[in-house]
Amino acid sequence: MKEIHLICNAHIDPIWQWDWPEGASATLSTFYSAVKLSDKFDYIFCHNEVTVYKYVEEYAPELFAKIQELVKAGKWHIMGGWYLQPDCNLPAGESFVRQIREGQRYFKEKFGVCPTTAINFDPFGHTVGLVQIIKKCGQDSYMFMRPYVSECVLPSEQFIWRGLDGSEIKATRTGPYSSPLGQSAEIIKGRAEQQPFDIGAVLWGVGNHGGGPSAKDLGDIERELMTSDEIKYIHSTPEEFFSKIAPTEVYDGSLHISMPGCYTSMHSVKKRHAMLENELYLAEKMATAAYMSGALEKYPEDELRIATHDLLNAEFHDILPGTSIQCGEEAGIRFLDHGLLEAEKVKIRAFFALSATQRPADEGEYPIVIFNPHPYRVNQNVECEFMLAAQNWSDDTESFITVLDENGNRADFQVIKEESNLNLDWRKRIIINADLKPLDLTRYSVYIEYKPKEQKQKGESLVFDNGHKRVEIDGSTGLLKTYRIDGVDYVKNGFELVSFDDNEDPWAMDADQLRRVGVNERPFTLSADPTGVFKGMKSVQITEDGDIYLGIEAFFEQDSTRARIAYKIYKNNDDIDVDVNVYMGDVNRIVKLKLPLLASGELIGQTAFGTQRLFTDARENVAHRFIAIKGEGKCPVLMNKGVYGSHYENEALYMSLVRGVAYCAHPIASRPLVPSDKFTKKIDQGENSFSFRLSVADCTEFEGKAREYVENPYALNVFPVPTEKKSVGRFAVRLESDAVSCVAIKKADGREAVIFRLINNTDREANTKILVNEASLPLFFGAFEVKTVVYESGELSESYELII
């Protein structure tokens, strides 16, 4: 007899077509109803997500206590166990670890349980990087609904999902997670009969916006289904269901592609999300270095947890993908801005604590102190602003700068335009070619002399060529005409802005959009006479030219949209930084940045704790901080600071920048997407800013180079204030491998120990060694393997779990 496990639930989006207070209200009423029904019916109510349980704990404590009793009695099941159902494509691997860790901590503390089945019904696709994370966080199975059968063909609806490192978990695509009010018995029966398995699961309960079971539905199920002689129905839980099945079919890819507009829509949220990930993990590293050396007396655990919860809330699957109404966007921005502030305060506190161990400034010295967040020596171009001690109002003299390293040697640097626009010799900004100690402070000293003014002229050439690296910007198009390293051309006519016709749907649900997002490619044109915010600029102009880089900017237009592309062509390495400002003034368009790549190999992109192959047939891709051509030797890699969507066709990479779409509009039958008789607000109109770095590297270096780009060394002009407290100890850390990167360094919860999260971001085996003070630990990594190393009581050890 077929056995069907009934998973009663009530899908509640805390934010979607409503703001969070309404989501809290829906939670309270749904949970109250589920509790009352438990007195009358013998069923199990299943629900996940810390966020909504917190609403009940704060706003209805008596109801919360009753739920705790029902959990103990087995009539209420804590499902999933994550902080919430996040977007399952865009967060970094470490962010997913925090989703699970913070969820498990809460549910263990409040209910004494730790679910072993992960639940993400509603997100729009799932990266294969999740498998290793779920497995190493103590869960063994996964339930999801999307992508639909029409979007992603699986070997079976019950299968073994295999991760990049070879980890395996059981998984099932559930079908719809809800059922109409009063019709559940009929719906359940139909879904059960369609299942081809001897043991299956059917989800039911009113949603979205809560609801759950009703008395009528439970009565109908009891009378019409529980007495069936054809199918055995069981009120059950995800864990009970998975304990009964033993799938054999294996799927080893990401669960794509579903609603690909979500990779780009609401860029304002996505950019801040990437910023907070980087700022949080940098702050943790700096705070750990300060605490373990004794410079910081108390590790800021509470502040870092607040910032972490802000990040996790903003990763909700209707905030981060950009599919909520405008108040949902605003809520996401508030979460992220608050988290950024909390992380920044931690970073600055740790920085000043570490700086207090520096010697006081010499007479006439302007110290520039730089923290390197990476556990290996880094040579990097670092920018810093500072004020001169006095304002120089003279028309005859000006300040001249000298920069010395810690050994008194002259350092390479360049004076560049400061953020302020006061036309006064007072505020200065420099970029230093800095050689930085691992996970420590490095100090540079600036000295000022006043000399007679010199006539300075910017260069006129749009070409940089030092024999090793040749870069040329085309003055007639504003494009990157040539990018050549050691005689090999990697790009031709790159960084061209183009637009495609799009529609109002932020999800991009149309079947044609699964094949490509946007049609009818149209290039922007170089502005012959820039107007509006760019009025008075030349079409292409040189902005900076010194020992460190050549700066060039160009201005473009198309219809009501204007754009600026600024190039930093570094003279001391292979990199080119490209900043793009798009002043979006058009709707139903997607704007992309086109980069033809003159290289052969496999197109790959960074995902959660690994890389994955990307589509090359114009389908929309999702990737994190880099996309690269993986081949032999040096390969082109494009890094970014907050862009997720892209597509590839005709040997060109198109980075998806911004979509002029509506808030929360998607197809319903043949009805119009938005009203035509009134104005509807659109997402991301006005200025949107994007940052990229083009370079070449061996495939083992992609992860490290991207991390160095997004987790910038922190530099500040600080005059150290001596401290009389006890002397500061050592916290010397070094990681010996280009293939293995350090994702996170933080103090362990409740222990005097430090956690290092390390990742081999290649499909090759790798060996490395980590050294902390006098301790060292050799490590062997399989392909894409993630390891957690613990430093405690002067010893290093490897943990086989991610949750610590």
Side-chain angles (χ1 to χ4, degrees):
M1 179 183 293
K2 182 184 291 187
E3 180 176 299
I4 296 296
H5 290 250
L6 303 183
I7 312 296
C8 178
N9 76 108
H11 184 73
I12 303 172
D13 287 329
I15 293 173
W16 181 35
Q17 298 180 76
W18 46 84
D19 205 349
W20 73 267
E22 187 176 340
S25 177
T27 299
L28 297 181
S29 62
T30 298
F31 280 23
Y32 177 73
S33 173
V35 167
K36 296 298 288 182
L37 290 169
S38 69
D39 294 333
K40 301 177 180 179
F41 296 94
D42 185 18
Y43 82 107
I44 303 171
F45 183 69
C46 304
H47 202 86
N48 56 334
E49 300 188 321
V50 168
T51 297
V52 295
Y53 281 91
K54 280 187 171 182
Y55 292 153
V56 182
E57 183 181 16
E58 182 172 359
Y59 305 131
E62 293 180 7
L63 177 61
F64 189 79
K66 179 63 176 175
I67 293 170
Q68 289 176 314
E69 293 175 6
L70 291 175
V71 170
K72 289 180 181 178
K75 299 196 67 177
W76 188 297
H77 182 72
I78 302 298
M79 183 170 67
W82 291 24
Y83 197 81
L84 46 69
Q85 289 191 49
D87 177 273
C88 289
N89 291 309
L90 307 184
E94 185 64 22
S95 297
F96 283 121
V97 172
R98 308 300 173 93
Q99 285 283 354
I100 303 174
R101 187 194 68 178
E102 292 302 305
Q104 290 184 353
R105 175 185 289 112
Y106 180 86
F107 288 124
K108 187 72 173 175
E109 176 187 338
K110 303 298 181 180
F111 298 96
V113 299
C114 193
T116 58
T117 296
I119 302 291
N120 281 307
F121 298 137
D122 218 22
F124 316 120
H126 312 257
T127 172
V128 67
L130 278 171
V131 180
Q132 179 177 194
I133 296 167
I134 290 170
K135 184 79 170 182
K136 290 185 176 179
C137 286
Q139 297 188 299
D140 57 17
S141 44
Y142 195 61
M143 274 187 164
F144 67 97
M145 181 179 70
R146 299 188 182 94
Y148 300 124
V149 174
S150 60
E151 297 171 326
C152 177
V153 176
L154 297 172
S156 172
E157 299 302 282
Q158 297 177 5
F159 60 98
I160 298 294
W161 196 13
R162 180 176 294 157
L164 295 168
D165 71 323
S167 296
E168 293 182 347
I169 58 175
K170 298 177 185 178
T172 187
R173 178 159 51 191
T174 64
Y177 52 68
S178 61
S179 54
L181 180 64
Q183 302 175 38
S184 294
E186 178 183 353
I187 294 293
I188 290 169
K189 186 173 184 294
R191 292 174 185 170
E193 291 173 347
Q194 292 172 7
Q195 293 223 8
F197 307 104
D198 292 335
I199 299 174
V202 172
L203 278 66
W204 73 278
V206 178
N208 196 331
H209 206 260
S214 71
K216 180 181 185 306
D217 288 322
L218 285 168
D220 290 346
I221 291 169
E222 192 173 282
R223 287 189 303 271
E224 300 173 20
L225 301 184
M226 293 302 176
T227 58
S228 172
D229 295 328
E230 300 174 356
I231 298 176
K232 181 182 180 180
Y233 292 96
I234 303 170
H235 289 299
S236 189
T237 68
E239 281 80 359
E240 180 66 19
F241 162 71
F242 275 111
S243 73
K244 295 289 189 70
I245 66 170
T248 57
E249 300 285 347
V250 176
Y251 185 75
D252 61 1
S254 290
L255 298 166
H256 289 159
I257 182 174
S258 179
M259 305 182 189
C262 296
Y263 309 154
T264 302
S265 298
M266 212 172 280
H267 170 258
S268 57
V269 171
K270 290 176 170 62
K271 180 179 179 180
R272 281 179 174 86
H273 170 256
M275 289 172 62
L276 180 51
E277 283 188 325
N278 299 329
E279 187 77 357
L280 174 61
Y281 303 139
L282 188 151
E284 287 180 342
K285 292 174 182 178
M286 195 180 294
T288 303
Y291 177 74
M292 292 301 294
S293 66
L296 199 62
E297 292 184 2
K298 182 177 183 296
Y299 186 78
E301 185 172 343
D302 293 341
E303 296 91 330
L304 288 168
R305 179 155 293 136
I306 289 170
T308 298
H309 291 176
D310 286 332
L311 175 68
L312 303 184
N313 277 309
E315 288 177 342
F316 178 65
H317 64 262
D318 280 311
I319 294 178
L320 185 53
T323 54
S324 69
I325 58 176
Q326 188 172 17
C327 68
E329 175 188 42
E330 292 166 351
I333 289 172
R334 286 196 297 271
F335 280 129
L336 293 165
D337 283 346
H338 182 260
L340 284 165
L341 177 61
E342 290 295 317
E344 184 180 46
K345 289 193 294 186
V346 167
K347 179 180 73 175
I348 298 305
R349 187 191 314 165
F351 182 83
F352 280 119
L354 287 166
S355 297
T357 66
Q358 296 272 308
R359 61 172 174 79
D362 294 332
E363 185 68 28
E365 178 194 7
Y366 296 81
I368 305 296
V369 181
I370 308 171
F371 180 80
N372 172 19
H374 308 292
Y376 51 87
R377 205 167 191 95
V378 169
N379 185 275
Q380 198 158 343
N381 295 316
V382 180
E383 296 185 18
C384 184
E385 287 205 10
F386 59 95
M387 301 292 284
L388 300 184
Q391 305 162 12
N392 177 25
W393 290 84
S394 171
D395 291 328
D396 302 318
T397 63
E398 64 181 332
S399 58
F400 284 78
I401 292 175
T402 300
V403 180
L404 303 180
D405 66 18
E406 291 178 330
N407 297 317
N409 301 313
R410 287 181 178 266
D412 292 333
F413 74 98
Q414 180 176 336
V415 180
I416 58 178
K417 171 71 172 64
E418 67 277 10
E419 290 294 314
S420 170
N421 291 308
L422 294 183
N423 192 2
L424 182 63
D425 189 11
W426 186 24
R427 181 79 174 164
K428 296 296 177 184
R429 186 175 185 88
I430 61 175
I431 181 168
I432 306 171
N433 181 218
D435 186 43
L436 304 175
K437 293 175 284 190
L439 208 70
D440 202 353
L441 298 181
T442 302
R443 178 167 172 164
Y444 285 83
S445 301
V446 174
Y447 293 92
I448 307 295
E449 294 180 82
Y450 291 95
K451 299 179 181 180
K453 279 189 175 180
E454 296 180 353
Q455 290 293 327
K456 298 177 182 177
Q457 289 186 337
K458 293 174 183 172
E460 297 182 355
S461 176
L462 301 178
V463 179
F464 170 73
D465 193 339
N466 63 1
H468 164 68
K469 173 181 178 180
R470 178 180 173 85
V471 178
E472 179 179 358
I473 305 301
D474 191 323
S476 64
T477 65
L479 305 184
L480 177 62
K481 184 177 181 179
T482 304
Y483 175 58
R484 182 181 302 155
I485 304 294
D486 290 333
V488 178
D489 286 315
Y490 291 95
V491 173
K492 183 176 182 180
N493 295 326
F495 297 111
E496 179 181 25
L497 284 166
V498 297
S499 79
F500 295 81
D501 294 335
D502 202 351
N503 66 11
E504 296 96 338
D505 174 9
W507 286 271
M509 287 189 182
D510 189 273
D512 290 338
Q513 292 173 309
L514 292 177
R515 292 186 285 273
R516 65 177 309 131
V517 176
V519 295
N520 301 327
E521 178 180 342
R522 293 196 297 154
F524 280 59
T525 58
L526 188 69
S527 301
D529 183 19
T531 59
V533 69
F534 302 133
K535 185 175 177 61
M537 302 292 102
K538 296 179 182 179
S539 298
V540 180
Q541 56 192 22
I542 294 173
T543 58
E544 306 284 354
D545 193 3
D547 292 338
I548 305 297
Y549 75 83
L550 170 64
I552 300 170
E553 62 184 1
F555 302 93
F556 303 88
E557 60 187 38
Q558 184 186 103
D559 297 335
S560 298
T561 298
R562 301 291 180 268
R564 166 184 173 266
I565 296 182
Y567 302 93
K568 287 182 180 177
I569 302 165
Y570 292 104
K571 300 180 179 182
N572 54 9
N573 59 38
D574 295 337
D575 303 340
I576 302 174
D577 282 357
V578 179
D579 292 326
V580 183
N581 305 98
V582 176
Y583 289 79
M584 190 71 172
D586 295 295
V587 299
N588 299 345
R589 300 270 183 86
I590 181 169
V591 176
K592 299 199 172 203
L593 192 64
K594 182 178 180 180
L595 186 68
L597 295 173
L598 305 177
S600 59
E602 181 180 75
L603 186 72
I604 64 169
Q606 186 190 45
T607 189
F609 288 157
T611 63
Q612 60 183 347
R613 293 185 63 177
L614 302 181
F615 302 124
T616 56
D617 57 1
R619 281 182 288 176
E620 199 74 0
N621 286 305
V622 58
H624 293 174
R625 303 287 70 86
F626 69 81
I627 294 177
I629 300 288
K630 179 185 170 186
E632 297 297 324
K634 296 291 185 181
C635 306
V637 54
L638 183 68
M639 296 160 270
N640 73 82
K641 290 188 176 180
V643 176
Y644 294 91
S646 68
H647 84 266
Y648 189 91
E649 62 178 328
N650 300 323
E651 299 182 328
L653 173 64
Y654 292 76
M655 300 301 297
S656 302
L657 303 184
V658 60
R659 300 181 70 217
V661 296
Y663 288 97
C664 200
H666 70 62
I668 296 178
S670 58
R671 302 170 188 173
L673 284 172
V674 297
S676 59
D677 59 346
K678 56 179 65 69
F679 172 73
T680 55
K681 291 178 286 188
K682 306 302 189 297
I683 302 172
D684 286 335
Q685 295 296 293
E687 183 179 9
N688 294 270
S689 299
F690 311 87
S691 296
F692 300 91
R693 172 169 290 174
L694 175 65
S695 192
V696 296
D698 185 84
C699 64
T700 61
E701 302 172 322
F702 293 158
E703 170 78 19
K705 286 183 71 69
R707 196 161 299 281
E708 290 167 20
Y709 176 54
V710 300
E711 283 189 26
N712 299 311
Y714 181 71
L716 188 68
N717 167 218
V718 57
F719 294 86
V721 178
T723 177
E724 294 183 359
K725 69 179 184 179
K726 64 180 182 179
S727 61
V728 173
R730 293 178 67 240
F731 187 60
V733 178
R734 192 168 82 252
L735 183 64
E736 296 183 343
S737 176
D738 288 335
V740 176
S741 293
C742 184
V743 176
I745 304 173
K746 65 182 295 290
K747 180 182 173 295
D749 296 332
R751 294 164 56 185
E752 288 301 309
V754 175
I755 294 169
F756 297 87
R757 193 96 66 225
L758 307 176
I759 175 176
N760 172 18
N761 200 47
T762 72
D763 59 2
R764 312 170 187 174
E765 295 178 346
N767 292 289
T768 189
K769 180 187 291 185
I770 185 170
L771 301 97
V772 181
N773 292 344
E774 306 305 321
S776 67
L777 180 68
L779 295 166
F780 170 78
F781 287 79
F784 296 113
E785 187 175 5
V786 178
K787 288 181 181 289
T788 298
V789 171
V790 180
Y791 177 70
E792 189 171 18
S793 301
E795 301 291 334
L796 286 165
S797 61
E798 182 179 340
S799 170
Y800 294 95
E801 297 180 354
L802 296 182
I803 299 291
I804 296 180

